[in-house]
Amino acid sequence: MRPIRSVAAVAVFLSIALLMAAASAGAQVNRWDTIGPKPYSGNGQGVNVYGLAFGAGDTLLAADSLGVFASPGDGTWQAALQVPWVGAIPPFYAFYSILTASGSPNIVLAGLSAGGVSRSTDGGRSWSGGLGGAGFLAMAAGSSSPQVAYGSVKVVQSFSTSRSTDYGATWTDLTSLDGSPVTALVVDPESSDIVYGCIGSSATGLPAGVYRSTDGGSSWSRLGGLPDDVCKAVAVDFQSPATVYAGFDTDGIFRSDDGGQSWLAVNEGLRSLAVRQVVVDPVESSVVYAGTGSGVFRSGDRGGHWGSIGFNGSGITSLTLDPESPKTVYAGVPAGLQKITLAPTGPCVPGPETLCLNAGRFRVEIVWRAPSAGASSVGQSFPITDDTGAFWFFDAANLEVVVKVLDAESVNGNFWVFFGALSNVEYTITVTDTRTGRIQSYYSAGGPLVSYADTSAFPGDSAAAPAALVAPPPLSRSVQSPATTSLCVPDSHTLCQLDGRFQVRVEWQGSATDPIQNASAVALTDDTGYFWFFDAANIELMVKTLDGTSVNGHYWVFSGALSNVHYRIVVTDLATNAVQTYDNPQGQLASFADTSAF
């Protein structure tokens, strides 16, 4: 019998467990951890992080649509700069850049999408106006002369780019740009007079492209040899400033080794050519990172080859390296902020927090977080088959997420990753290919249950073109007439859950012309089990029932899907003869949570 039966008991257990587990999710290499920031938006969901910086005492500053938030590194966050709400509508107050002046860590400049650049001289505790404007575009500061900064803002009818030589206290307009919109800036690490900028299209001003100034912005020259595309990012090699990178909206990344005189496309291995950020490791300059429309990528050979380190299918909103430890990477993903510390990959060793799947090649870990309690922890592993396993968060009898890694090299040259959720808390799954060192990760901000099928997760020896990662539509639910009143008897096609009160069966059909078959059932705990269709080693579906009567007067049914074939779940309450059926149409991959099932 389960030690915790009802949802009410789980809630009591959770409040204690969260406090005890808060410190257990410590830093670990090659695993993405969700780190905030908080508070969340008015609907309880996370918000996008657009800028990151490090202030005095290793304080991490994060800027999102609710303002600037500061963390001392212990997982807690405090508001540093906010705008009051008007009624029930939050202000449009996204920060697209935030930086701390090198050598003067108490001076912070933050660009506001709704109004220029604000300045703080006390590490973000108080703020004053710096560079006025109706909107913010881009900003960069020098490292050789940290007092020098460049900023671009929108004005009433045009755009303005300015230069400061006193840490952003005063600014001088650079009239040579003729009111052009500058969407990205970077300063040469050896000379603050050398600056590169991306200029976007406008009715007036200079033609769009990548520009370079060698006289502190007094004059600019347009660089040739680049695509006719919107430039989104520029970066400079700290060790060799003549090496410059430019990231574009649809054409990927280009590298110049001669200060922008000539360029080479460096896109091998990128799964998305929509590049938003390019960051060069300041210590090991051959290492370059890219934030793209389909995750974070890393190159160890100056862009010659790229490999994923996470978030396939997710657009990256910000990307920053820890200045004291550049192997620690921070990434803003939709509705969250993530952190990982990279290290050489060793063989997978199964353990309480680690699944080793597909003959031990892939290491799988998960970190969960409950924002309302301000705590997080590491999911506990539950091995099932060679390619499938699950994790539990609060109770070993209550599985929350199931993950499967399949070798599909014969189909499209890739290894596939599937996961299905039985939980609505926030979590991040990290899957590492221990043979190649590539990392893939999947983030759920909490709320609706999700399933994913990533058929381009890891390339094999002959990788095919990547497939898109698509969020599934919600699964429909219907009610059918009662079927039986007998006590549940488990067999090869039947799960009996919650002390046998609920009978769960699944029918499936490979195609519209195939016969309907009964899925094979395997019980895992008193409330959770799985079904397989084609092969006993290939799990397709997990089903869980919970007693939620103390919460809303109902018993709950959860499904975690790893299959997109046509199937029907039939759950029968043998105490009342009530029956619920859940149909999944062919081609759909969807988990669900029915909290009013019975």
Side-chain angles (χ1 to χ4, degrees):
M1 180 178 291
R2 289 183 57 194
I4 297 174
R5 169 62 54 198
S6 69
V7 173
V10 171
V12 173
F13 173 82
L14 170 60
S15 64
I16 299 172
L18 287 175
L19 296 176
M20 296 177 62
S24 68
Q28 179 173 322
V29 298
N30 297 331
R31 184 184 71 201
W32 285 99
D33 289 336
T34 306
I35 61 173
K38 294 198 315 175
Y40 279 41
S41 61
N43 62 8
Q45 298 299 307
V47 289
N48 293 342
V49 174
Y50 293 103
L52 293 166
F54 289 84
D58 294 327
T59 298
L60 179 63
L61 299 168
D64 61 31
S65 58
L66 298 180
V68 174
F69 296 88
S71 173
D74 60 358
T76 63
W77 293 86
Q78 298 293 328
L81 174 60
Q82 288 181 281
V83 167
W85 286 30
V86 178
I89 307 300
F92 182 66
Y93 200 62
F95 290 70
Y96 288 90
S97 181
I98 181 171
L99 55 89
T100 305
S102 175
S104 297
N106 283 327
I107 297 178
V108 183
L109 304 179
L112 288 64
S113 65
V117 176
S118 281
R119 182 175 185 263
S120 172
T121 60
D122 54 12
R125 288 183 290 274
S126 63
W127 296 80
S128 61
L131 177 60
F136 170 75
L137 297 180
M139 185 166 55
S143 56
S144 61
S145 302
Q147 72 275 15
V148 177
Y150 296 83
S152 180
V153 298
K154 181 179 180 180
V155 292
V156 177
Q157 299 293 334
S158 184
F159 304 91
S160 173
T161 299
S162 301
R163 183 176 190 256
S164 173
T165 58
D166 53 9
Y167 300 102
T170 60
W171 297 82
T172 301
D173 187 28
L174 302 176
T175 57
S176 58
L177 288 173
D178 293 333
S180 305
V182 178
T183 56
L185 288 162
V186 67
V187 181
D188 187 294
E190 294 182 354
S191 172
S192 60
D193 285 336
I194 300 176
V195 58
Y196 297 84
C198 294
I199 293 184
S201 299
S202 65
T204 60
L206 302 176
V210 180
Y211 285 72
R212 179 176 187 254
S213 173
T214 60
D215 53 12
S218 296
S219 62
W220 297 78
S221 58
R222 188 172 186 266
L223 304 177
L226 291 169
D228 185 16
D229 188 13
V230 178
C231 175
K232 292 290 189 178
V234 285
V236 174
D237 186 331
F238 283 79
Q239 306 297 324
S240 178
T243 298
V244 186
Y245 297 85
F248 291 86
D249 193 39
T250 59
D251 284 289
I253 300 174
F254 284 70
R255 188 189 77 223
S256 173
D257 295 321
D258 52 15
Q261 301 306 306
S262 61
W263 296 85
L264 173 70
V266 286
N267 294 320
E268 183 177 335
L270 289 180
R271 293 184 178 175
S272 170
L273 297 183
V275 177
R276 300 295 182 266
Q277 302 89 17
V278 179
V279 182
V280 182
D281 188 316
V283 176
E284 189 178 353
S285 62
S286 61
V287 176
V288 188
Y289 298 87
T292 76
S294 188
V296 182
F297 288 80
R298 178 184 183 274
S299 171
D301 56 4
R302 304 192 310 143
H305 305 82
W306 296 90
S308 169
I309 61 168
F311 305 107
N312 190 20
S314 295
I316 304 303
T317 59
S318 57
L319 192 63
T320 305
L321 307 183
D322 187 327
E324 301 297 326
S325 177
K327 293 299 180 286
T328 297
V329 183
Y330 294 82
V333 300
L337 176 60
Q338 302 281 334
K339 171 186 176 182
I340 192 171
T341 298
L342 300 172
T345 301
C348 186
V349 179
E353 301 173 354
T354 304
L355 291 173
C356 296
L357 302 181
N358 213 288
R361 174 170 176 170
F362 294 92
R363 180 172 64 245
V364 186
E365 298 165 299
I366 188 168
V367 174
W368 60 267
R369 195 165 78 123
S372 59
S376 63
S377 190
V378 180
Q380 302 298 296
S381 62
F382 191 103
I384 301 175
T385 70
D386 178 64
D387 60 26
T388 307
F391 291 91
W392 60 271
F393 299 163
F394 314 119
D395 179 359
N398 187 8
L399 303 181
E400 305 284 358
V401 178
V402 58
V403 182
K404 177 169 67 176
V405 181
L406 292 181
D407 183 351
E409 291 177 284
S410 61
V411 179
N412 71 344
N414 295 319
F415 287 88
W416 298 357
V417 173
F418 298 76
F419 77 90
L422 300 169
S423 176
N424 64 350
V425 306
E426 181 181 3
Y427 57 84
T428 302
I429 302 168
T430 302
V431 185
T432 303
D433 184 345
T434 61
R435 187 177 300 175
T436 67
R438 289 186 173 92
I439 297 171
Q440 203 50 266
S441 52
Y442 309 91
Y443 171 65
S444 173
L449 274 62
V450 295
S451 289
Y452 276 117
D454 185 356
T455 57
S456 64
F458 296 95
D461 293 334
S462 55
L469 186 63
V470 179
L475 186 66
S476 61
R477 177 171 68 89
S478 61
V479 181
Q480 71 176 35
S481 12
T484 178
T485 59
S486 62
L487 181 67
C488 183
V489 178
D491 58 34
S492 60
H493 300 295
T494 304
L495 294 178
C496 297
Q497 297 183 342
L498 292 184
D499 286 337
R501 173 167 177 164
F502 293 93
Q503 172 186 283
V504 185
R505 295 175 64 88
V506 174
E507 299 174 341
W508 65 279
Q509 189 176 27
S511 70
T513 59
D514 290 342
I516 296 175
Q517 303 182 58
N518 292 319
S520 297
V522 178
L524 296 174
T525 70
D526 180 56
D527 63 20
T528 308
Y530 70 83
F531 293 88
W532 59 270
F533 301 164
F534 306 100
D535 182 348
N538 188 7
I539 296 172
E540 306 285 355
L541 181 69
M542 292 188 72
V543 180
K544 175 172 70 174
T545 57
L546 289 179
D547 181 355
T549 54
S550 62
V551 178
N552 68 345
H554 293 275
Y555 288 89
W556 302 351
V557 175
F558 297 77
S559 168
L562 301 171
S563 176
N564 65 350
V565 305
H566 178 209
Y567 61 82
R568 171 176 292 176
I569 304 170
V570 181
V571 185
T572 305
D573 182 352
L574 299 178
T576 65
N577 296 333
V579 178
Q580 295 286 12
T581 64
Y582 306 89
D583 284 295
N584 186 79
Q586 188 78 25
Q588 175 173 282
L589 179 71
S591 298
F592 70 85
D594 184 356
T595 56
S596 61
F598 298 96

